């Protein structure tokens, strides 16, 4: 029933290896509390790229098992959403009808940074409700100030590089063949689904 359904789009996968990208459990539980303040009768369901991770993270919420096209369809048609900092949620939301409420992580891929800076101000999407790392909904004034400060900070940078830096390969990647790394990562994901 679309009228009472809230979809959580939990991103796991390679995000778990990057502490600046993966969202903590508190983000999801706070977002559910914030959604319930406005819409107390919703049913919550998860779409995810990482079933084991999402099941361990929020074991009491049903995960809709499907492929990427079903996930896209659900995100496109849901009226209530709590999303991760992934472009996979952005595109179906924008291609569908405007949802009633979308809760998203404040500063997008730099959620919880002490400077309240965005890695890209272009990720501040119109009509989203932004939630900070303490579970507070960010006001329009706070949002505008963080965007202003981010842009002002980026104006100081001038990125330059050379061929040597562009061809750099990490030493740790030289000695382990890709095929072996994939096998190791697979077994680690079975043993530690919240990490790998």
């Amino acid at each position: 029933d679309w009228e009472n359904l809230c979809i959580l789009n939990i991103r796991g996968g390679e995000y778990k290896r990057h502490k600046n990208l993966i969202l903590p459990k508190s983000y999801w539980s706070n977002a559910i509390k914030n959604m319930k303040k406005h819409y107390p009768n919703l049913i919550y369901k998860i779409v995810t790229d990482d079933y084991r991770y999402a099941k361990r993270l929020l074991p009491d919420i049903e995960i809709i098992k499907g492929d990427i096209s079903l996930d896209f369809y659900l995100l496109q048609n849901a009226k209530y959403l709590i999303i991760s900092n992934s472009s996979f949620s952005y595109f179906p939301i924008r291609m569908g009808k405007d949802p009633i409420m979308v809760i998203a992580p404040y500063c997008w891929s730099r959620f919880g940074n002490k400077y309240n800076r965005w890695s890209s101000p272009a990720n501040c999407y119109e009509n989203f409700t932004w939630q900070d790392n303490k579970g507070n909904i960010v006001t329009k004034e706070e949002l505008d100030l963080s965007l202003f400060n981010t842009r002002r900070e980026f104006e100081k940078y001038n990125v330059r590089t050379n061929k040597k830096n562009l061809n750099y390969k990490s030493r740790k990647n030289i000695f382990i063949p890709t095929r072996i790394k994939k096998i190791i990562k697979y077994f680690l994901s079975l043993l530690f689904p919240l990490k790998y």
Side-chain angles (χ1 to χ4, degrees):
D1 178 22
W2 291 110
E3 298 305 314
N4 296 312
L5 179 64
C6 179
I7 296 291
L8 284 72
N9 176 222
I10 296 179
R11 182 72 190 269
E14 74 276 8
Y15 270 38
K16 292 182 290 189
R17 290 180 297 195
H18 304 282
K19 67 177 185 171
N20 288 336
L21 291 177
I22 197 73
L23 295 168
K25 182 176 182 173
S26 60
Y27 166 77
W28 301 102
S29 54
N30 287 330
I32 291 169
K33 287 177 193 170
N34 283 322
M35 190 67 82
K36 284 181 176 179
K37 288 176 189 173
H38 300 280
Y39 308 100
N41 299 318
L42 296 178
I43 296 165
Y44 296 86
K45 295 190 179 187
I46 296 170
V47 296
T48 184
D49 66 328
D50 193 332
Y51 181 89
R52 285 192 298 270
Y53 171 72
K55 190 67 182 166
R56 190 71 65 91
L57 190 68
L58 298 171
D60 298 328
I61 299 178
E62 178 187 346
I63 300 171
I64 299 172
K65 291 183 183 176
D67 59 15
I68 196 168
S69 62
L70 177 61
D71 292 353
F72 193 97
Y73 174 78
L74 291 166
L75 290 166
Q76 186 177 21
N77 290 288
K79 294 184 177 187
Y80 308 94
L81 296 120
I82 300 171
I83 62 171
S84 63
N85 46 3
S86 168
S87 59
F88 181 74
S89 57
Y90 169 78
F91 288 106
I93 291 169
R94 286 298 182 228
M95 292 171 71
K97 295 176 183 167
D98 284 334
I100 294 170
M101 188 171 191
V102 178
I103 294 179
Y106 179 49
C107 297
W108 198 248
S109 60
R110 293 300 174 260
F111 180 72
N113 77 83
K114 65 181 179 179
Y115 302 107
N116 292 327
R117 280 194 206 126
W118 300 69
S119 61
S120 172
N123 290 130
C124 184
Y125 306 118
E126 194 176 325
N127 300 326
F128 281 16
T129 300
W130 298 98
Q131 177 185 281
D132 70 17
N133 62 325
K134 294 182 177 88
N136 301 313
I137 299 301
V138 176
T139 66
K140 171 115 174 60
E141 293 75 22
E142 290 172 308
L143 185 61
D144 289 344
L145 181 61
S146 74
L147 291 168
F148 174 80
N149 288 335
T150 298
R151 288 184 181 107
R152 190 174 65 188
E153 184 65 24
F154 285 167
E155 287 173 356
K156 298 175 187 174
Y157 295 106
N158 182 7
V159 179
R160 298 176 70 191
T161 190
N162 57 40
K163 277 188 177 183
K164 182 182 174 187
N165 290 337
L166 292 174
N167 292 324
Y168 174 78
K169 288 187 178 181
S170 171
R171 291 190 188 275
K172 66 181 177 182
N173 292 333
I174 293 171
F175 300 106
I176 302 174
T178 303
R179 190 177 213 179
I180 302 295
K181 281 198 287 188
K182 286 183 180 180
I183 293 169
I184 292 169
K185 286 179 188 175
Y186 172 75
F187 284 109
L188 286 172
S189 73
L190 294 176
L191 296 171
F192 309 104
L194 291 175
K195 287 278 185 191
Y196 297 96

